[in-house]
Amino acid sequence: MKPSIFKYEGHNYLGPFLIISSLFFMWGFAHGILEILNPHFQESFHISKTMSALTQAAVYGAYFLMALPAGWITQKWGYRRGVITGLVLFGVGALMFIPGSRVNNFYFFVLSLFVIGCGLTCLETSANPYATVLGHPDKAESRINLSQSLNGIGWIVGPLVGGQLLFTGVSIAIPYAIVGIFVLFVAFLLCRITLPDPRRAHEADTKEKTKEVPMHTLAFGFGMLTLFLYVAAQTGVNSFFINYAEESIHIEKETASMFLAFGGMGLFFVGRLAGSVLMNFIRPKWVLLACALLTCVATFVVVAFSGTISLVAFFALYLGESIMFPTIFSLALRDAGTQTKLASSLLVMTVVGGAVAPLLMGYIADSTGSMAKAFLIPLGCYAVIGSYAVTRQI
């Protein structure tokens, strides 16, 4: 009999899973709209591509600085308080865009995004590992890919809303104010409910402590490196898709944001749903390898060609990226033994890769005058992801 995805040791974790999964949409939206800010700030403040990449550096740099404190909060007070802390910081950072729109200073917006990044760090540090333990261990990859599917919807809505508002002259404060109020409301609701801890339930049912399993340091370290490179690649691609579309595909910013939302992020969402199903029949490492090969080929086409074929390649690239983050995260956690909360903090720290790649790609584009050449950075990242999949034992 196949193990149930949400039931384990007599407990049904479907309810908590649905509550936690809803949070994945929120930070997907936050990341999705972030990619619209690059061209918007370039135009509004007349800054270079390299300078505009500070928006990504602020958010993803916060992941590096906040990951260990977020892990400490989760370790000391549990998943629920870690999530609530993240939501409060997220809401405060979003509401800072209201005075920011009046000050109209680029660096104030960067500060606001840093606060949002701190909140997202707490959310991901708590919610990602929590989704993996809400059911049978053998279904961890399927569960987190299912949760991350809602994250994919957020990635669709973010560029869609951001593109339609920002490129038509609407104040940047409006979408962030709405998100901030909503997020703080959800934080209030979570203060009123309790969420189960499966490990504590196991200890209560069996009258024994969970056996401690040591971390496999080298394998886990390779997982951290791979996750760092994936986030670097994904953020770099997202940050400069619109710039590339203007330069090499010859379409307007507003049209490019529609392609990003419905084409790229739409396939990203479909890929996560399909990946969640496929991993019930195919080992996650092989699905990850197939996706790595697809992204390598697609990125090569983006670098070497232009026009419609490049747009199609971008769509294939987003499809290939779809399952990478949750699958790498879950596979790496398998090497963490019983140190999942500490390991989750360390894995979330690797999201700092998103601060590095946009700066490198912006510098290459500004220096060479070619946005296409900058996509050699994500190409190299996808190659390493493929090697990680090949070397996995599980």
Side-chain angles (χ1 to χ4, degrees), residues 8 42 60 113 131 167 216 245 250 294 343 356:
Y8 187 52
Q42 289 169 27
Y60 293 104
L113 290 168
F167 296 143
H216 301 288
H250 310 297
L294 176 61
V356 177

Side-chain angles (χ1 to χ4, degrees), residues 2-336:
K2 286 189 174 182
S4 171
I5 189 171
F6 299 119
K7 294 180 180 179
Y8 187 52
E9 296 186 335
H11 296 273
N12 190 329
Y13 295 108
L14 177 59
F17 178 82
L18 292 176
I19 293 171
I20 289 299
S21 294
S22 67
L23 304 179
F24 283 67
F25 170 84
M26 297 181 196
W27 77 69
F29 180 89
H31 284 295
I33 198 171
L34 180 65
E35 316 313 343
I36 301 297
L37 294 184
N38 265 41
H40 173 72
F41 285 150
Q42 289 169 27
E43 191 173 284
S44 299
F45 295 108
H46 307 290
I47 56 178
S48 67
K49 294 182 179 69
T50 307
M51 182 66 74
S52 72
L54 285 177
T55 57
Q56 278 74 25
V59 173
Y60 293 104
Y63 275 81
F64 181 77
L65 296 174
M66 190 66 186
L68 288 178
W72 179 80
I73 292 170
T74 303
Q75 185 75 36
K76 187 172 180 61
W77 287 303
Y79 293 112
R80 185 174 69 95
R81 292 187 181 180
V83 167
I84 291 170
T85 302
L87 289 172
V88 170
L89 287 171
F90 184 179
V92 169
L95 292 179
M96 284 174 65
F97 270 72
I98 298 175
S101 65
R102 294 182 178 275
V103 175
N104 200 34
N105 180 278
F106 173 67
Y107 295 104
F108 189 92
F109 286 123
V110 170
L111 175 63
S112 304
L113 290 168
F114 177 79
V115 176
I116 290 175
C118 289
L120 296 179
T121 307
C122 291
L123 276 178
E124 295 208 40
T125 302
S126 301
N128 276 313
Y130 194 45
T132 67
V133 299
L134 288 173
H136 198 284
D138 290 346
K139 296 295 182 180
E141 287 82 14
S142 294
R143 250 186 330 273
I144 194 170
N145 271 284
L146 195 56
S147 289
Q148 290 274 358
S149 296
L150 287 176
N151 183 262
I153 297 177
W155 279 94
I156 295 173
V157 177
L160 178 63
V161 171
Q164 293 306 300
L165 292 179
L166 300 187
F167 296 143
T168 54
V170 176
S171 172
I172 193 174
I174 292 177
Y176 276 97
I178 294 171
V179 169
I181 293 169
F182 178 73
V183 163
L184 290 175
F185 175 71
V186 174
F188 172 76
L189 290 181
L190 285 177
C191 287
R192 316 284 297 183
I193 64 173
T194 57
L195 295 173
D197 187 324
R199 179 179 292 185
R200 289 178 184 173
H202 172 81
E203 291 175 0
D205 290 345
T206 61
K207 309 296 184 186
E208 62 182 23
K209 293 289 184 181
T210 302
K211 183 181 178 181
E212 293 295 321
V213 179
M215 180 183 291
H216 301 288
T217 308
L218 289 178
F220 181 75
F222 193 13
M224 285 185 64
L225 173 64
T226 305
L227 203 60
F228 172 91
L229 294 175
Y230 165 73
V231 178
Q234 183 199 37
T235 309
V237 168
N238 292 341
S239 300
F240 294 111
F241 170 81
I242 292 177
N243 289 115
Y244 179 93
E246 281 191 296
E247 180 182 305
S248 299
I249 308 176
H250 310 297
I251 55 179
E252 299 294 325
K253 287 188 179 74
E254 190 174 346
T255 305
S257 70
M258 294 288 285
F259 277 126
L260 177 60
F262 289 111
M265 297 306 175
L267 285 170
F268 190 81
F269 167 67
V270 170
R272 282 207 167 152
L273 280 180
S276 180
V277 174
L278 277 175
M279 288 179 198
N280 286 310
F281 307 98
I282 304 172
R283 290 168 67 186
K285 63 173 285 184
W286 298 124
V287 180
L288 179 62
L289 177 60
C291 288
L293 292 173
L294 176 61
T295 52
C296 283
V297 172
T299 311
F300 175 79
V301 172
V302 167
V303 173
F305 299 93
S306 61
T308 304
I309 189 174
S310 292
L311 182 61
V312 173
F314 263 111
F315 291 159
L317 196 161
Y318 279 107
L319 181 64
E321 278 189 341
S322 60
I323 59 92
M324 287 184 174
F325 182 90
T327 305
I328 296 167
F329 193 99
S330 185
L331 288 173
L333 275 184
R334 286 179 178 268
D335 294 315

